Amino acid sequence: MNWTSGEESLTDLSGLLPRIDEAATAAAREGATAPALLIVELPPLGRLALDSSYELTAAAVERLERAVVHSGSVAVVGEGLLAVLAPRTGPRMAAALARRIEHCLELPAVGGGLPDGRVKVRIHELDPRTSAHEALAQAGVAVLAGRTHRELPVRQTGTAVPDARPSRTALGDDLAEAVRAGRIGVVYQPIIGLQSGKIIGTEVLARWQHPSLGAIPPLDFVPLAHEIGAAGELGRLVLETALTQLGRWRNARQIDPGFILSVNASADQLRSLVDSGHVRDLLASTGADPGSLALELTEESFVTGAEQDERVFEQLRVLGVGLHIDDFGTGYSSIGYLRRLPAALVKIDRTLLGDVAGDPREQRFIRAILDMVDALELGAVFEGVETPGQARELSRLGASMGQGFHFSRPLAAPAMTALLADWSRE
């Protein structure tokens, strides 16, 4: 059976290719968020009979099409490999979609039971300068880094997959060395007061520039850090770098007293940072005000409800460090549980913003979100603000904080320092 073309194909790959090109080109033309290509890797199907393999893949495609009906389109690109094109999808929205895909394929098992092994989803941001065939080829290289070095099961036209590709073990070794040597970079994306127009804080994001592969996306290297046991040290390195930079801005009087540094962390990283005393020690060594630091966890991490997490939250409260809920509204919340959390602020996921500048229904929806957040006595930052119209309408509706490419992309420390200086003169 031909998995990628012909009469027996489960889905038509030739139909996906032009949609990839169209989505990337439209995003570039409109200045919108780049689309994402999600490669779904099913557990090995090779030992199954051909009919069973086909039936399981067909069942997986059917479930995927239901799961992403409003978010993207699906095609089979190889044996055990599916592709999902998600237009206008930033990193966090793509991560939420990946979690939804994993859930829909694993619980309960597809088609009466997939072979042993987890479904894997890899996320690739599309570059409008790269053709659809090249995008699929690059995505395949990343998949191969986690598999044995067998031939990429994607039909290509005119684009060869590079032969020299690191194994996932080698990539993990490189990451471990980068963390030990302090070669993990940090960028800052400003958070804007929508009523005042001032920079009132910044989100801190980790970056890894591999010496031969170039920039490795956080959605790839952060999970890898967890796999190799380096997540705790990675979190400490990012926190130390960010707090040190905060001290430089404070000493240069480039930030107001209420400026908040919001640092992303997973639940495991948070436990490691608190239990090891790193948060306390780094606050002391950098002289940072605990109230200027917030640790930002995904909504999914918050709603686990584990007793050990509640203990960690309490320790941070005693230290005076804030807690923020990231990706709020991506489908994990119990509102009753959120009422009991010690969080001070929620980051409203970009997927909830919609066409707030032009659609009255979206405006009513945003107003309802603001009412709910206010009832929970939480602050709120709206993520994914990409146009002046969105910023103006959010301000009119009473939103207090926003973040997104309309204001600034994530910046390295020197560029962020210059931006703070420019905004302080306005």
Side-chain angles (χ1 to χ4, degrees):
M1 179 180 297
N2 188 340
W3 292 85
T4 57
S5 65
E7 295 180 354
E8 294 183 286
S9 178
L10 290 168
T11 48
D12 188 3
L13 180 59
S14 64
L16 180 67
L17 295 175
R19 288 198 295 272
I20 291 175
D21 288 331
E22 290 167 6
T25 302
R29 183 178 61 249
E30 300 167 11
T33 302
L37 183 66
L38 289 78
I39 302 297
V40 182
E41 185 179 358
L42 302 177
L45 304 176
R47 68 177 181 271
L48 297 178
L50 187 61
D51 287 347
S52 298
S53 181
Y54 183 89
E55 289 171 4
L56 285 171
T57 304
V61 168
E62 183 179 355
R63 284 202 182 182
L64 271 185
E65 288 177 336
R66 289 201 303 267
V68 304
V69 63
H70 300 299
S71 309
S73 49
V74 182
V76 178
V77 296
E79 184 174 351
L81 287 179
L82 314 177
V84 177
L85 172 64
R88 299 176 181 271
T89 303
R92 288 186 180 144
M93 185 176 173
L97 180 59
R99 291 193 293 266
R100 191 158 81 241
I101 287 171
E102 290 176 345
H103 181 78
C104 84
L105 291 182
E106 291 184 347
L107 296 173
V110 169
L114 281 171
D116 293 338
R118 290 198 61 211
V119 172
K120 298 177 183 177
V121 183
R122 303 178 190 274
I123 303 169
H124 307 274
E125 185 174 320
L126 293 175
D127 186 333
R129 297 167 297 183
T130 302
S131 72
H133 283 99
E134 290 171 327
L136 284 173
Q138 292 169 4
V141 170
V143 170
L144 284 172
R147 289 183 169 187
T148 58
H149 292 178
R150 60 188 176 86
E151 183 182 355
L152 178 67
V154 178
R155 172 164 289 195
Q156 302 167 50
T157 302
T159 300
V161 178
D163 290 327
R165 46 191 178 248
S167 68
R168 193 161 181 81
T169 299
L171 199 62
D173 291 342
D174 292 345
L175 177 59
E177 175 58 26
V179 171
R180 283 193 298 269
R183 294 197 299 268
I184 299 297
V186 168
V187 294
Y188 306 86
Q189 186 171 33
I191 298 170
I192 308 301
L194 295 175
Q195 306 301 323
S196 68
K198 294 183 178 181
I199 299 177
I200 59 176
T202 183
E203 181 177 1
V204 178
L205 304 162
R207 292 291 185 265
W208 179 30
Q209 188 76 17
H210 190 278
S212 59
L213 299 176
I216 306 295
L219 289 171
D220 288 337
F221 77 77
V222 172
L224 181 59
H226 283 274
E227 291 178 24
I228 65 175
E233 184 60 18
L234 173 63
R236 186 205 62 77
L237 176 62
V238 170
L239 182 59
E240 180 178 19
T241 303
L243 286 174
T244 300
Q245 183 60 56
L246 179 69
R248 295 191 185 108
W249 290 331
R250 184 189 61 238
N251 294 338
R253 299 187 177 181
Q254 291 183 292
I255 55 176
D256 293 331
F259 188 93
I260 296 293
L261 190 77
S262 185
V263 181
N264 281 278
S266 68
D268 289 342
Q269 284 176 319
L270 181 61
R271 285 190 290 269
S272 174
L273 288 168
V274 172
D275 291 342
S276 66
H278 284 323
V279 174
R280 180 191 64 244
D281 295 344
L282 288 172
L283 287 170
S285 64
T286 60
D289 176 5
S292 65
L293 173 65
L295 294 175
E296 189 172 307
L297 275 73
T298 64
E299 185 180 347
E300 180 183 14
S301 298
F302 263 102
V303 300
T304 57
E307 289 186 11
Q308 59 188 15
D309 292 335
E310 294 182 4
R311 172 184 55 78
V312 169
F313 297 160
E314 175 60 20
Q315 287 178 270
L316 286 180
R317 188 193 65 78
V318 171
L319 284 173
V321 173
L323 279 169
H324 293 175
I325 304 175
D326 197 12
D327 298 338
F328 182 79
T330 53
Y332 293 94
S333 289
S334 159
I335 299 301
Y337 183 68
L338 290 177
R339 293 174 61 187
R340 303 195 302 271
L341 287 173
L345 181 144
V346 293
K347 306 284 288 290
I348 307 298
D349 191 77
R350 66 190 311 126
T351 59
L352 301 184
L353 192 54
D355 181 21
V356 69
D359 189 337
R361 293 174 300 177
E362 296 288 354
Q363 294 163 9
R364 291 192 294 271
F365 181 59
I366 294 299
R367 192 175 290 113
I369 291 174
L370 287 168
D371 289 342
M372 181 190 68
V373 169
D374 184 61
L376 292 169
E377 299 181 342
L378 297 170
V381 175
F382 282 84
E383 298 182 296
V385 180
E386 296 187 344
T387 68
Q390 288 177 324
R392 285 193 300 269
E393 190 59 31
L394 285 172
S395 177
R396 187 188 72 80
L397 291 170
S400 59
M401 291 172 278
Q403 177 182 350
F405 287 175
H406 167 61
F407 305 111
S408 174
R409 291 177 177 270
L411 303 171
M416 182 66 183
T417 301
L419 185 68
L420 286 168
D422 288 344
W423 281 54
S424 65
R425 288 194 292 266
E426 293 182 357

